[in-house]
Amino acid sequence: MTNTNPVIIVIEDDPAIRLFLRTGLGAHGFKIFEADKGRQGIIEAGVRKPDLIILDLGLPDMDGVEVIKSIREWSAMPIIILSARSSEQHKIDALDAGADDYLTKPFGLGELLARIRVALRHSVSCPAQDADGVFNTGELKVDLLKRQVFVADKEIHLTPIQYRLLSLLIVNAGKVLTHQYILKEVWGPSYKDNSHYPRIYMSQLRQKLEADPTQPQYLLTESGVGYRLKV
């Protein structure tokens, strides 16, 4: 595989549910990290930059809706609510705050997995991909669902951060992304002063994806601003 397995952070104070999710989701190829408090979950999200968050609303230190609002200040990562609160107003409040989906307890693992698959498909959707979630430009092909990258039909191994940077460029294909935006989306808000990171990792991507890294065809520099993926 080009990248590590999809990362999910579970923010849930019930140890039995965390164990169930860790075991069930882990068996389906997801890498699980856990937090039993809202503030810890926010920190984990900022540090680990997961592919998806599963969030309980009834946390001991803060309401889950506040966790959603905090994460939405800097990221659009998918958030699925898993809560015993079943009233329509609770669902409305969570979805209005920025949650992507809402599942009430008790729940089945099969339904949760289906909701996760939908959320992950939406998170990597972009106009330049085909119906199977495959992005193509020139000899570069990226399967956004399987997380595989090919150049001239040869599979290229990327590190997790390299893949995260490439997928961000793909989702915004044709758009210029500033250095600060890339830092926030790829590394998180605590890395805002590490302005050299995008340059270093873009150079690494070019070494792997471009026929001539000094004359890139796909990963273009917008001088003084940032980077753009040419389509």
Side-chain angles (χ1 to χ4, degrees):
M1 291 295 290
T2 293
N3 195 21
T4 56
N5 292 345
V7 173
I8 295 178
I9 291 178
V10 175
I11 308 176
E12 165 68 64
D13 65 330
D14 186 327
I17 293 180
R18 291 203 309 273
L19 175 60
F20 176 74
L21 293 173
R22 180 169 68 249
T23 304
L25 297 179
H28 285 81
F30 295 99
K31 188 173 183 180
I32 308 300
F33 295 94
E34 303 169 26
D36 60 3
K37 294 182 176 63
R39 290 183 179 84
Q40 179 191 358
I42 293 168
I43 292 171
E44 286 284 314
V47 170
R48 300 193 185 278
K49 297 291 296 179
D51 299 282
L52 183 139
I53 288 176
I54 296 175
L55 171 66
D56 182 21
L57 294 181
L59 299 168
D61 61 335
M62 62 191 298
D63 192 274
V65 170
E66 296 306 313
V67 175
I68 300 169
K69 291 178 179 177
S70 178
I71 292 172
R72 284 292 174 259
E73 290 177 357
W74 57 273
S75 177
M77 67 178 66
I79 300 174
I80 295 179
I81 301 301
L82 194 58
S83 177
R85 300 178 187 175
S86 58
S87 75
E88 182 179 359
Q89 191 58 51
H90 283 132
K91 295 179 181 180
I92 291 170
D93 290 344
L95 294 170
D96 281 347
D100 295 86
D101 204 347
Y102 197 112
L103 191 59
T104 55
K105 301 173 183 175
F107 63 96
L109 182 62
E111 182 178 4
L112 176 60
L113 285 165
R115 304 283 186 102
I116 289 171
R117 288 192 293 268
V118 170
L120 292 177
R121 280 199 300 269
H122 288 171
S123 72
V124 299
S125 63
C126 67
Q129 74 183 49
D130 63 21
D132 296 321
V134 177
F135 171 86
N136 285 280
T137 181
E139 293 190 323
L140 174 63
K141 181 175 78 172
V142 182
D143 188 320
L144 293 162
L145 300 181
K146 295 180 180 178
R147 295 164 168 252
Q148 293 177 306
V149 179
F150 301 88
V151 174
D153 295 324
K154 177 184 178 182
E155 186 168 6
I156 307 298
H157 173 77
L158 301 183
T159 68
I161 291 181
Q162 289 169 354
Y163 181 82
R164 193 180 299 155
L165 174 57
L166 178 61
S167 62
L168 178 67
L169 290 163
I170 289 172
V171 170
N172 295 278
K175 300 178 183 177
V176 178
L177 304 184
T178 67
H179 298 97
Q180 285 302 311
Y181 180 81
I182 292 172
L183 273 171
K184 181 181 72 171
E185 292 297 318
V186 176
W187 285 273
S190 60
Y191 289 81
K192 62 181 180 180
D193 296 325
N194 298 87
S195 57
H196 58 292
Y197 278 20
R199 175 177 52 80
I200 292 172
Y201 279 85
M202 187 62 71
S203 175
Q204 293 174 356
L205 273 182
R206 285 171 172 160
Q207 291 292 330
K208 292 185 175 183
L209 304 181
E210 300 281 3
D212 180 358
T214 65
Q215 300 289 330
Q217 300 178 52
Y218 312 118
L219 306 171
L220 306 183
T221 298
E222 299 292 338
S223 184
V225 179
Y227 300 98
R228 173 171 59 90
L229 178 63
K230 185 178 179 181
V231 291

